[in-house]
């Protein structure tokens, strides 16, 4: 029986800015995304992350917020109450964009770390559109990818401990689109990275045939 043909994965780097730790009581205030590349049976083909992007600022959905969380992004909740996109419209536009840029492939959300961004993104998609273009598990965590390749415990991983050549040269600005583009470059570098070079053995030693 011939092997089932699997669609390629279209990796989409996503970053969100929110005013608290969990969606519902707190709000996702901005959403940025950039196409990072495509993975198929022949390997990974990176994309220019500035070519296909999405960005929206959203109206808050509650009066609650954590000042420290809000300060990270520098977004103004008062302005967003009048100028921010209605969440249902913004998430519908995002879903349509994901499907458009993923034609012929399966979209996969990528983040660093993905857990926070995915939690808000998936909750908002289900709450305001009723479905997710990524399904319920189409999510790749770059932090886990690095830990696995580097052979490190997950909690030992931070961007500051990574080899510099893996990191994007772009600044991490806490603007959702800027950071999505930056993380798309990190993903491409991580996928291409073979892992740390094996330490040499003692002088005159070489691996045996087994």
């Amino acid at each position: 029986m011939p092997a089932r043909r699997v669609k390629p994965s279209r990796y989409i780097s996503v970053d969100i800015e929110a005013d608290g730790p969990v969606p519902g009581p707190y709000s996702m205030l901005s959403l940025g995304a950039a196409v990072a590349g495509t993975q198929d049976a022949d390997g990974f083909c990176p994309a220019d992350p500035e070519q296909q992007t999405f960005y929206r600022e959203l109206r808050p959905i509650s009066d609650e917020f954590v000042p420290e969380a809000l300060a990270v992004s520098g977004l103004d909740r008062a302005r967003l109450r009048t100028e921010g996109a209605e969440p249902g419209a913004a998430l519908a536009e995002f879903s349509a964009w994901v499907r458009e840029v993923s034609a012929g492939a399966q979209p996969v959300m990528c983040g660093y770390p993905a857990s926070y961004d995915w939690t808000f993104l998936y909750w908002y998609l289900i709450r305001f559109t009723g479905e997710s273009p990524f399904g319920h598990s189409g999510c790749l965590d770059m932090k886990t990818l690095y830990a696995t390749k580097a052979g490190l415990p997950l909690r030992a991983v931070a961007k500051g401990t990574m080899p510099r050549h893996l990191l994007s040269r772009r600044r991490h600005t806490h603007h959702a689109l800027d950071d999505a583009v930056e993380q798309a470059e990190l993903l491409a570098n991580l996928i291409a990275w073979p892992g740390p070079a094996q330490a040499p053995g003692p002088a005159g030693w070489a691996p045996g045939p087994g």
Side-chain angles (χ1 to χ4, degrees):
M1 189 172 78
R4 182 172 67 92
R5 182 172 180 81
V6 178
K7 281 187 176 181
S9 292
R10 183 71 32 78
Y11 292 135
I12 299 175
S13 173
V14 174
D15 186 81
I16 70 100
E17 298 297 331
D19 61 14
V22 293
Y26 304 103
S27 306
M28 179 167 69
L29 300 180
S30 63
L31 166 63
V35 174
T38 304
Q39 179 95 47
D40 61 17
D42 296 321
F44 177 73
C45 179
D48 178 347
E50 293 186 318
Q51 289 302 304
Q52 294 178 297
T53 63
F54 181 93
Y55 181 72
R56 293 290 184 277
E57 294 181 354
L58 284 70
R59 186 181 308 154
I61 61 172
S62 83
D63 293 330
E64 296 184 53
F65 67 95
V66 177
E68 294 81 2
L70 185 62
V72 169
S73 67
L75 291 167
D76 184 339
R77 279 175 52 92
R79 177 182 67 80
L80 293 177
R81 285 199 176 279
T82 58
E83 298 179 10
E86 192 276 318
L91 272 296
E93 290 173 350
F94 175 70
S95 292
W97 177 82
V98 169
R99 293 187 173 98
E100 178 184 349
V101 300
S102 300
Q106 292 179 319
V108 177
M109 177 273 190
C110 307
Y112 185 97
S115 52
Y116 182 76
D117 304 84
W118 174 259
T119 297
F120 272 89
L121 179 64
Y122 185 74
W123 188 94
Y124 263 72
L125 285 166
I126 299 303
R127 172 65 179 82
F128 292 106
T129 74
E131 60 181 347
S132 164
F134 304 103
H136 70 277
S137 62
C139 172
L140 185 151
D141 177 33
M142 296 182 217
K143 189 170 184 176
T144 302
L145 177 61
Y146 174 76
T148 302
K149 283 198 165 190
L152 293 172
L154 183 65
R155 297 303 293 269
V157 172
K159 284 185 180 178
T161 68
M162 290 183 177
R164 292 184 64 84
H165 67 85
L166 293 178
L167 302 175
S168 170
R169 295 183 180 179
R170 302 173 189 267
R171 291 178 55 242
H172 193 79
T173 64
H174 292 290
H175 182 285
L177 181 55
D178 288 349
D179 293 352
V181 171
E182 176 218 348
Q183 290 172 175
E185 294 182 341
L186 172 62
L187 177 68
N189 293 340
L190 283 172
I191 290 177
W193 185 50
Q198 185 175 359
W205 176 90

